[in-house]
C-alpha cells in the first residue's frame, strides 16, 4: 500500500490538509453541478419562446434524475467513510472488500431503475406537475437520459472511493472531464444539430460515460491504493448492509430533494392558475440556484470527511475536533455570504437561465419569490457541517434522523399546508422555515452528542469503534 496519503491524513496540519482536499473536492462538486446547470442555461435560450417551457420540462424531469443519483450516493457516500475508517485501522483488505461490493451493488441497482423509470416516465411526469405544454420537453429529455443511468451510477457512486483515499485531484478530474465535454457538446447537439432537449440529454449521457470510464480506469490501475478486485465483487450482507445503513442518510437527502421538487411543482400546477407554467419555471430556477450554491459547502464537507474518518478510526480526537471546527466556521461564513447576495440581487439567477423578454417577465414574477426561497440559506452551513460530520464518524442513525428532519418532517408538510393560506407564496415560504428549524436542531443535537462521541478513553480501540457498534446494531 502507498502510505503517502494515510501519512498526510494523520499528520499534516489540519488547515493545510483541509485546503488541499477541499479545493479539488469543491471544484468537483461545482463542476458536477454544471451538468444540469449547463443543460438548463443552453435550453433556456432556445428560440421561439421555447426556453421557459423547456427549463420547466427539465425541472419536472429532475426528480427522476435525482432519485437515480441518490441511489449512487447511497453506495458511494455510505461506503467511502467506512473505507476511510478501515484504512485508519490498517484494515486494507476490508476496505477493498467494501469497494468491490459497491461496484456490484451499483450495477444491481442501475438495471431495474432504468427499466422502471423508462416504462413509467410519462405518467410519473404528469403526477410530478407537468402541464400539457411542459410534458413533451420532459419526456424527450428523459427518454435519452435514462439510457445512460449506469454511467451516472458509476461516475457518481465510485468517485467517492477515490476521494476517501486522499486523491482529491483525481476525483475532481472525474467530473471535470465529463463537465467540459458536456459544455462543448451541448451547443453542438442542441443548436447546430437542432436536437433541442434531446441533444442536451445525449450530451449528458456521453459525458457521464466518459467520466465512468475514467473512474473505473483509475480504480483498476496502478496509482490507486485500493483496487477493484474480482474476488471482492461477490455481494456479502455483512459488508454491504453497513454501507447501506450509513448511506441511507445521503440517499434520503438527495431523494427527498426530488420529492421536494415534485411537491413544489405540483403545488404550482394546482395553485398557479394561468401563471402555472411560469411558476414552474421560477421554481426550477430557484431550486437549481440553491443546489448549485450549496455545492461549495458540500464539497468542503466532503473534503473534510477523509480527515475526520481516518483520524476517528485511529482515535486521534484532537485532529477530528480541529477539522470539524474549521469546517463549521468556513461553511457558515460561506452560506451567510450567499444569503446576503441572494437578498440583494435575486434576479441574477433568472438572467443566468434565461434572456431577453422571457427573462424580464420571469424576473418580475420570480424576484420576490426567490428572495423568500433563499431566506434560510445563511443557516444551512451549520447543518451541512454537522450532518456530514455525523456521516464521517459513521453515525448512521443520527445522520438518518437529521436527513429526514429537513425535507420529510418539515419542508414537505409545510409546502402542502402553507399554500392553503398563502397560495403559491406559501410554497416558497416553506423552504426557509424548514431550513432554519432543521439547522437549529441538527446543530443542537451535534453539540450535545459530540461531547461523548469525541472523547477517547484508554482501551476504547480494543473494545471496538463506537461507529462500528452502531452500524452493527
Amino acid at each position: 500500500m502507498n502510505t503517502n496519503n494515510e501519512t498526510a491524513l494523520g499528520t499534516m496540519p489540519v488547515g493545510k490538509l483541509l485546503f488541499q482536499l477541499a479545493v479539488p473536492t469543491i471544484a468537483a462538486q461545482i463542476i458536477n453541478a454544471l451538468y444540469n446547470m449547463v443543460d438548463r442555461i443552453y435550453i433556456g435560450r432556445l428560440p421561439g419562446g421555447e426556453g421557459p417551457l423547456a427549463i420547466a420540462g427539465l425541472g419536472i424531469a429532475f426528480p427522476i434524475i435525482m432519485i437515480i443519483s441518490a441511489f449512487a450516493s447511497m453506495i458511494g457516500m455510505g461506503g467511502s467513510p467506512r473505507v476511510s475508517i478501515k484504512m485508519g485501522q490498517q484494515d486494507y483488505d476490508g476496505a477493498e472488500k467494501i469497494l468491490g461490493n459497491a461496484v456490484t451493488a451499483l450495477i444491481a441497482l442501475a438495471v431495474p431503475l432504468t427499466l422502471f423509470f423508462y416504462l413509467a416516465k410519462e405518467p410519473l411526469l404528469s403526477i410530478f406537475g407537468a402541464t400539457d405544454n411542459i410534458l413533451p420537453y420532459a419526456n424527450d429529455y428523459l427518454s435519452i437520459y435514462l439510457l445512460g443511468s449506469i454511467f451516472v451510477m458509476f461516475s457518481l457512486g465510485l468517485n467517492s472511493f477515490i476521494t476517501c483515499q486522499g486523491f482529491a485531484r483525481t476525483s475532481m478530474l472525474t467530473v471535470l472531464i465529463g463537465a467540459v465535454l458536456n459544455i462543448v457538446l451541448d451547443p453542438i447537439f442542441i443548436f447546430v444539430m437542432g436536437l433541442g432537449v434531446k441533444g442536451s440529454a445525449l450530451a449528458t449521457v456521453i459525458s457521464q460515460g466518459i467520466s465512468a470510464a475514467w473512474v473505473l480506469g483509475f480504480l483498476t490501475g496502478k496509482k490507486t491504493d485500493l483496487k477493484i478486485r474480482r474476488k471482492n465483487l461477490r455481494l456479502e450482507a455483512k459488508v454491504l448492509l453497513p454501507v447501506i445503513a450509513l448511506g441511507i442518510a445521503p440517499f434520503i437527502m438527495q431523494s427527498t430533494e426530488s420529492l421536494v421538487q415534485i411537491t413544489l411543482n405540483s403545488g404550482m400546477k394546482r395553485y398557479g392558475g394561468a401563471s402555472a407554467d411560469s411558476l414552474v419555471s421560477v421554481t426550477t430556477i430557484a431550486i437549481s440556484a440553491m443546489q448549485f450554491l450549496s455545492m461549495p459547502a458540500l464539497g468542503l464537507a466532503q473534503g473534510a470527511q477523509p480527515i475526520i474518518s481516518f483520524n476517528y478510526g485511529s482515535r486521534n480526537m484532537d485532529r477530528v475536533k480541529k477539522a470539524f471546527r474549521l469546517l463549521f466556521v468556513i461553511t457558515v461564513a460561506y452560506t451567510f455570504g450567499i444569503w446576503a447576495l441572494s437578498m440583494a440581487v435575486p434576479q441574477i439567477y433568472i438572467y443566468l437561465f434565461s434572456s431577453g423578454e422571457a427573462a424580464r417577465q420571469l424576473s418580475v414574477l420570480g424576484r420576490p419569490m426567490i428572495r423568500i426561497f433563499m431566506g434560510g440559506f445563511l443557516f444551512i452551513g451549520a447543518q451541512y457541517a454537522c450532518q456530514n460530520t455525523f456521516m464521517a464518524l459513521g453515525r448512521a442513525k443520527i445522520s438518518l434522523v437529521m436527513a429526514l428532519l429537513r425535507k420529510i418532517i418539515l419542508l414537505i408538510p409545510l409546502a402542502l399546508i402553507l399554500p392553503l393560506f398563502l397560495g403559491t407564496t406559501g410554497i416558497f415560504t416553506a423552504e426557509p422555515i424548514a431550513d432554519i428549524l432543521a439547522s437549529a436542531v441538527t446543530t443542537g443535537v451535534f453539540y450535545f452528542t459530540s461531547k461523548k462521541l469525541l472523547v477517547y478513553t484508554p482501551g476504547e480501540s480494543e473494545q471496538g469503534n463506537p461507529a462500528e457498534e452502531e452500524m452493527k446494531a
Side-chain angles (χ1 to χ4, degrees):
M1 288 293 174
N2 186 345
T3 60
N4 290 336
N5 285 305
E6 59 182 279
T7 299
L9 290 170
T11 61
M12 184 182 290
V14 171
K16 181 180 179 180
L17 180 59
L18 180 59
F19 179 80
Q20 286 189 3
L21 292 177
V23 169
T25 307
I26 291 170
Q29 286 281 351
I30 293 174
I31 295 165
N32 190 44
L34 287 176
Y35 274 112
N36 292 303
M37 289 282 289
V38 169
D39 287 346
R40 296 176 189 189
I41 289 170
Y42 280 127
I43 285 174
R45 286 163 172 75
L46 284 172
E50 286 187 286
L53 289 175
I55 288 178
L58 262 67
I60 296 295
F62 196 62
I64 292 177
I65 296 171
M66 284 297 295
I67 291 172
I68 293 171
S69 299
F71 277 100
S73 292
M74 179 178 70
I75 301 302
M77 297 184 71
S80 57
R82 287 186 50 77
V83 164
S84 292
I85 291 172
K86 292 288 187 183
M87 291 176 68
Q89 297 169 342
Q90 306 298 307
D91 182 7
Y92 295 102
D93 289 337
E96 286 194 338
K97 188 165 287 189
I98 294 171
L99 173 60
N101 271 238
V103 173
T104 305
L106 289 168
I107 297 172
L109 287 168
V111 174
L113 285 172
T114 300
L115 290 174
F116 171 77
F117 284 122
Y118 199 89
L119 295 174
K121 62 183 185 302
E122 288 195 39
L124 285 175
L125 291 171
S126 296
I127 294 172
F128 292 173
T131 63
D132 292 338
N133 295 326
I134 294 172
L135 181 60
Y137 296 97
N139 188 49
D140 284 349
Y141 188 87
L142 269 184
S143 295
I144 294 176
Y145 181 91
L146 288 172
L147 298 179
S149 296
I150 185 64
F151 302 144
V152 176
M153 298 288 282
F154 271 167
S155 61
L156 293 181
L158 293 181
N159 203 34
S160 299
F161 293 95
I162 298 177
T163 304
C164 74
Q165 297 179 60
F167 295 106
R169 291 182 182 178
T170 304
S171 177
M172 178 186 71
L173 285 174
T174 301
V175 289
L176 179 60
I177 291 169
V180 169
L181 186 59
N182 192 39
I183 291 170
V184 172
L185 292 179
D186 254 342
I188 295 174
F189 289 157
I190 294 172
F191 300 112
V192 177
M193 298 179 66
L195 296 176
V197 293
K198 291 182 179 179
S200 176
L202 182 59
T204 300
V205 168
I206 293 173
S207 302
Q208 290 282 18
I210 299 298
S211 294
W214 169 267
V215 172
L216 290 172
F218 182 83
L219 289 175
T220 56
K222 297 180 179 179
K223 294 183 179 180
T224 182
D225 291 340
L226 305 176
K227 293 182 183 293
I228 299 172
R229 303 183 191 274
R230 183 176 298 178
K231 66 179 182 179
N232 293 324
L233 294 177
R234 183 173 175 271
L235 291 179
E236 297 183 33
K238 65 180 181 180
V239 175
L240 186 60
L241 290 180
V243 169
I244 294 174
L246 188 56
I248 284 293
F251 171 80
I252 289 175
M253 291 177 71
Q254 288 202 29
S255 61
T256 52
E257 285 288 347
S258 66
L259 187 57
V260 166
Q261 188 150 1
I262 292 168
T263 303
L264 299 185
N265 287 336
S266 60
M268 297 304 169
K269 181 179 179 181
R270 177 181 300 177
Y271 298 100
S275 301
D277 289 345
S278 296
L279 285 168
V280 172
S281 298
V282 171
T283 302
T284 300
I285 290 171
I287 293 175
S288 299
M290 177 172 279
Q291 289 171 343
F292 181 76
L293 293 169
S294 298
M295 291 302 165
L298 291 171
L300 182 68
Q302 289 188 14
Q305 180 265 311
I307 307 173
I308 295 172
S309 294
F310 182 91
N311 287 283
Y312 186 61
S314 59
R315 312 313 296 152
N316 192 340
M317 293 301 139
D318 285 341
R319 288 177 63 80
V320 172
K321 292 175 183 177
K322 287 178 182 178
F324 167 73
R325 291 186 189 118
L326 193 56
L327 170 64
F328 187 89
V329 170
I330 297 174
T331 52
V332 169
Y334 168 76
T335 53
F336 177 82
I338 295 299
W339 170 82
L341 176 68
S342 301
M343 295 303 102
V345 283
Q347 64 271 22
I348 62 172
Y349 305 129
I350 293 175
Y351 281 94
L352 177 64
F353 290 95
S354 189
S355 61
E357 180 62 20
R360 190 195 67 78
Q361 293 178 359
L362 283 179
S363 181
V364 172
L365 176 67
R367 189 166 57 241
M369 296 301 181
I370 291 177
R371 187 177 280 122
I372 292 171
F373 191 83
M374 298 292 291
F377 195 80
L378 76 165
F379 298 103
I380 288 181
Q383 186 184 31
Y384 286 163
C386 296
Q387 171 77 33
N388 281 275
T389 300
F390 276 134
M391 286 188 56
L393 298 175
R395 310 302 288 183
K397 294 178 182 178
I398 297 177
S399 187
L400 172 59
V401 172
M402 294 301 103
L404 288 169
L405 177 65
R406 181 180 169 210
K407 300 298 183 181
I408 299 294
I409 298 174
L410 292 173
L411 179 54
I412 292 177
L414 286 170
L416 294 172
I417 295 170
L418 291 180
L420 297 175
F421 307 96
L422 301 175
T424 54
T425 301
I427 299 175
F428 284 99
T429 304
E431 179 72 36
I433 294 175
D435 291 342
I436 293 169
L437 292 176
S439 298
V441 173
T442 303
T443 305
V445 170
F446 185 87
Y447 175 78
F448 289 108
T449 58
S450 64
K451 292 182 179 180
K452 178 180 179 182
L453 187 61
L454 301 182
V455 173
Y456 173 80
T457 56
E460 184 176 15
S461 59
E462 289 79 10
Q463 295 167 5
N465 189 308
E468 298 283 349
E469 295 303 319
E470 178 181 322
M471 285 185 284
K472 288 177 182 177

